[in-house]
Short mmCIF file of all heavy atoms in Angstrom, two decimals:
data_model
loop_
_atom_site.label_atom_id
_atom_site.label_comp_id
_atom_site.label_asym_id
_atom_site.label_seq_id
_atom_site.Cartn_x
_atom_site.Cartn_y
_atom_site.Cartn_z
N ILE A 750 26.03 -45.16 -58.39
CA ILE A 750 26.58 -43.85 -58.85
C ILE A 750 26.29 -43.69 -60.32
O ILE A 750 25.89 -42.60 -60.79
CB ILE A 750 28.19 -43.88 -58.64
CG1 ILE A 750 28.43 -43.83 -57.12
CG2 ILE A 750 28.81 -42.68 -59.41
CD1 ILE A 750 29.89 -44.09 -56.80
N ALA A 751 26.33 -44.78 -61.11
CA ALA A 751 26.02 -44.62 -62.55
C ALA A 751 24.54 -44.32 -62.77
O ALA A 751 24.25 -43.47 -63.58
CB ALA A 751 26.38 -45.99 -63.24
N ALA A 752 23.73 -44.90 -61.98
CA ALA A 752 22.26 -44.58 -62.03
C ALA A 752 22.00 -43.15 -61.72
O ALA A 752 21.27 -42.41 -62.39
CB ALA A 752 21.42 -45.58 -61.21
N LEU A 753 22.62 -42.65 -60.70
CA LEU A 753 22.47 -41.29 -60.24
C LEU A 753 22.99 -40.34 -61.30
O LEU A 753 22.37 -39.36 -61.66
CB LEU A 753 23.18 -41.02 -58.91
CG LEU A 753 23.13 -39.65 -58.37
CD1 LEU A 753 21.59 -39.29 -58.01
CD2 LEU A 753 23.91 -39.52 -57.12
N SER A 754 24.12 -40.72 -61.88
CA SER A 754 24.70 -39.89 -62.94
C SER A 754 23.84 -39.85 -64.15
O SER A 754 23.55 -38.73 -64.81
CB SER A 754 26.04 -40.45 -63.39
OG SER A 754 26.90 -40.50 -62.30
N LEU A 755 23.23 -40.97 -64.55
CA LEU A 755 22.32 -41.02 -65.74
C LEU A 755 21.08 -40.14 -65.46
O LEU A 755 20.71 -39.35 -66.26
CB LEU A 755 21.89 -42.43 -66.03
CG LEU A 755 21.00 -42.70 -67.15
CD1 LEU A 755 21.60 -42.21 -68.46
CD2 LEU A 755 20.51 -44.08 -67.23
N VAL A 756 20.46 -40.32 -64.23
CA VAL A 756 19.28 -39.45 -63.94
C VAL A 756 19.63 -38.02 -63.94
O VAL A 756 18.85 -37.19 -64.50
CB VAL A 756 18.68 -39.87 -62.59
CG1 VAL A 756 17.68 -38.95 -62.10
CG2 VAL A 756 18.13 -41.33 -62.72
N PHE A 757 20.76 -37.68 -63.36
CA PHE A 757 21.15 -36.22 -63.36
C PHE A 757 21.38 -35.70 -64.77
O PHE A 757 20.92 -34.60 -65.15
CB PHE A 757 22.43 -36.01 -62.51
CG PHE A 757 22.93 -34.57 -62.54
CD1 PHE A 757 22.21 -33.65 -61.78
CD2 PHE A 757 24.05 -34.22 -63.20
CE1 PHE A 757 22.65 -32.32 -61.71
CE2 PHE A 757 24.43 -32.86 -63.17
CZ PHE A 757 23.76 -31.91 -62.47
N CYS A 758 22.05 -36.48 -65.57
CA CYS A 758 22.30 -36.09 -66.95
C CYS A 758 20.99 -35.83 -67.74
O CYS A 758 20.82 -34.94 -68.47
CB CYS A 758 23.12 -37.18 -67.67
SG CYS A 758 23.62 -36.70 -69.36
N VAL A 759 20.01 -36.78 -67.62
CA VAL A 759 18.72 -36.69 -68.26
C VAL A 759 17.99 -35.48 -67.70
O VAL A 759 17.36 -34.73 -68.51
CB VAL A 759 17.88 -37.99 -67.97
CG1 VAL A 759 16.42 -37.77 -68.42
CG2 VAL A 759 18.43 -39.13 -68.77
N SER A 760 18.08 -35.18 -66.44
CA SER A 760 17.53 -33.96 -65.92
C SER A 760 18.07 -32.75 -66.55
O SER A 760 17.33 -31.80 -66.86
CB SER A 760 17.73 -33.95 -64.39
OG SER A 760 17.30 -32.73 -63.79
N VAL A 761 19.37 -32.70 -66.69
CA VAL A 761 19.99 -31.50 -67.29
C VAL A 761 19.59 -31.38 -68.71
O VAL A 761 19.26 -30.30 -69.22
CB VAL A 761 21.55 -31.55 -67.14
CG1 VAL A 761 22.21 -30.37 -67.91
CG2 VAL A 761 21.93 -31.49 -65.66
N VAL A 762 19.54 -32.49 -69.49
CA VAL A 762 19.10 -32.47 -70.87
C VAL A 762 17.68 -31.93 -71.01
O VAL A 762 17.43 -30.99 -71.76
CB VAL A 762 19.22 -33.93 -71.56
CG1 VAL A 762 18.45 -33.89 -72.86
CG2 VAL A 762 20.62 -34.31 -71.76
N PHE A 763 16.77 -32.45 -70.20
CA PHE A 763 15.43 -31.93 -70.25
C PHE A 763 15.29 -30.46 -69.80
O PHE A 763 14.46 -29.77 -70.41
CB PHE A 763 14.46 -32.83 -69.49
CG PHE A 763 14.13 -34.16 -70.14
CD1 PHE A 763 13.97 -35.31 -69.39
CD2 PHE A 763 14.08 -34.31 -71.50
CE1 PHE A 763 13.68 -36.51 -69.97
CE2 PHE A 763 13.84 -35.50 -72.13
CZ PHE A 763 13.63 -36.67 -71.38
N GLY A 764 16.08 -30.11 -68.85
CA GLY A 764 16.10 -28.74 -68.41
C GLY A 764 16.55 -27.85 -69.55
O GLY A 764 16.00 -26.73 -69.79
N ASN A 765 17.61 -28.27 -70.26
CA ASN A 765 18.10 -27.44 -71.39
C ASN A 765 17.01 -27.44 -72.45
O ASN A 765 16.84 -26.37 -73.14
CB ASN A 765 19.40 -28.04 -71.94
CG ASN A 765 20.58 -27.71 -71.07
OD1 ASN A 765 20.51 -26.78 -70.26
ND2 ASN A 765 21.67 -28.38 -71.21
N ILE A 766 16.38 -28.50 -72.79
CA ILE A 766 15.39 -28.56 -73.76
C ILE A 766 14.22 -27.58 -73.38
O ILE A 766 13.65 -26.91 -74.28
CB ILE A 766 14.86 -29.94 -74.02
CG1 ILE A 766 15.90 -30.83 -74.71
CG2 ILE A 766 13.61 -29.95 -74.88
CD1 ILE A 766 15.64 -32.29 -74.83
N SER A 767 13.78 -27.58 -72.12
CA SER A 767 12.73 -26.76 -71.67
C SER A 767 13.01 -25.30 -71.91
O SER A 767 12.04 -24.54 -71.98
CB SER A 767 12.35 -27.11 -70.26
OG SER A 767 13.27 -26.55 -69.36
N LEU A 768 14.28 -24.94 -71.80
CA LEU A 768 14.67 -23.54 -72.01
C LEU A 768 14.26 -22.99 -73.39
O LEU A 768 14.16 -21.75 -73.48
CB LEU A 768 16.11 -23.34 -71.70
CG LEU A 768 16.58 -23.39 -70.24
CD1 LEU A 768 18.08 -23.40 -70.12
CD2 LEU A 768 15.89 -22.35 -69.40
#
Side-chain angles (χ1 to χ4, degrees):
I750 292 169
L753 181 62
S754 300
L755 179 65
V756 169
F757 180 73
C758 184
V759 169
S760 172
V761 173
V762 167
F763 286 146
N765 285 343
I766 291 170
S767 76
L768 288 173

